[in-house]
Amino acid sequence: MALSGGAERRYRAVIVPGNGVGDVEDSNWYKWVKDKLNQIPDFQCLLQNMPDPITARKTIWLPFMDKTLQCDERTVIIGHSSGAAAAMRYAETHKVYGIILVSAYTSDLGDATERESGYFSSPWQWDKIRCNCAHIVQFASTDDPFLPWVEQQEVADSLQAELHKFTDRGHFQDEKFPELITVVCKMIKAPL
């Protein structure tokens, strides 16, 4: 990923949205975070519409993250909801600089679409995820209307994540997410 003058970017971020999202530029905090992170010198944040946006099948999303989004050892994957599940599964088999999990969970929640996605059909490989990520941060809220706290806590405990626990953020569907910017800047050692 060359910059002008041939300099290399040290790190980059990729936002992987939740399923059911239409245009990612108009959804939740995604564009706001992308725009803020792209103000960091020599840093790039990618945000693209995902293929298969409703079911978010693992067999489609993980290859897209690899081949199109080019998630690698210099990439911070920011995954929200289904995107968090995708980030965790991706990190089972790929080295990445870090994963930031927003509203992460461990089961299909009894939902047919979640079951069809394929993320929950095999046991989580927590050790492999930890080995493949230099940094793991999680944002979770006890008042999430979709995710039981016990599953969010299981992710934090299993990954030994740096947990940012809230009681009033629901499923993190706000238009802005300043705490996420702070975490990324800390992770890549960039000034705020």
Side-chain angles (χ1 to χ4, degrees):
M1 187 142 315
L3 296 174
S4 57
E8 290 286 320
R9 281 190 171 80
R10 286 183 40 215
Y11 303 110
R12 59 200 286 276
V14 170
I15 298 172
V16 182
N19 69 347
V21 171
D23 183 358
V24 292
E25 293 277 335
D26 295 327
S27 299
N28 304 316
W29 42 265
Y30 306 146
K31 183 180 183 319
W32 185 86
V33 165
K34 179 196 81 165
D35 291 347
K36 291 288 185 193
L37 291 179
N38 278 330
Q39 293 174 11
I40 299 170
D42 300 329
F43 190 79
Q44 178 190 39
C45 181
L46 296 178
L47 173 63
Q48 291 187 19
N49 287 320
M50 300 293 285
D52 188 36
I54 303 302
T55 307
R57 286 174 188 84
K58 179 177 95 169
T59 56
I60 296 173
W61 278 31
L62 299 191
F64 186 80
M65 291 167 67
D66 185 36
K67 303 295 184 214
T68 303
L69 300 178
Q70 299 180 350
C71 296
D72 61 19
E73 294 182 30
R74 294 181 301 146
T75 305
V76 177
I77 301 174
I78 303 168
H80 178 222
S81 194
S82 302
M88 291 188 295
R89 287 297 184 194
Y90 189 83
E92 288 178 342
T93 56
H94 297 80
K95 286 197 174 292
V96 295
Y97 184 69
I99 54 176
I100 299 175
L101 308 171
V102 182
S103 301
Y105 52 110
T106 59
S107 79
D108 65 24
L109 306 166
D111 181 87
T113 301
E114 294 290 340
R115 193 166 25 265
E116 190 179 345
S117 73
Y119 295 113
F120 311 101
S121 58
S122 61
W124 291 99
Q125 298 177 41
W126 303 117
D127 291 341
K128 288 184 179 180
I129 298 169
R130 284 195 310 272
C131 287
N132 284 334
C133 298
H135 304 275
I136 302 173
V137 176
Q138 181 181 353
F139 287 92
S141 191
T142 58
D143 69 339
D144 192 310
F146 307 116
L147 308 179
W149 177 254
V150 67
E151 291 201 19
Q152 296 178 79
Q153 186 69 59
E154 181 184 0
V155 171
D157 293 344
S158 299
L159 292 177
Q160 301 163 7
E162 175 188 315
L163 177 61
H164 295 256
K165 180 179 178 179
F166 293 84
T167 58
D168 60 353
R169 294 297 283 276
H171 200 58
F172 292 89
Q173 294 175 301
D174 303 311
E175 291 181 6
K176 297 179 181 179
F177 198 166
E179 301 90 349
L180 181 54
I181 304 301
T182 302
V183 163
V184 172
C185 287
K186 179 182 166 192
M187 191 180 285
I188 64 167
K189 299 174 178 64
L192 285 173

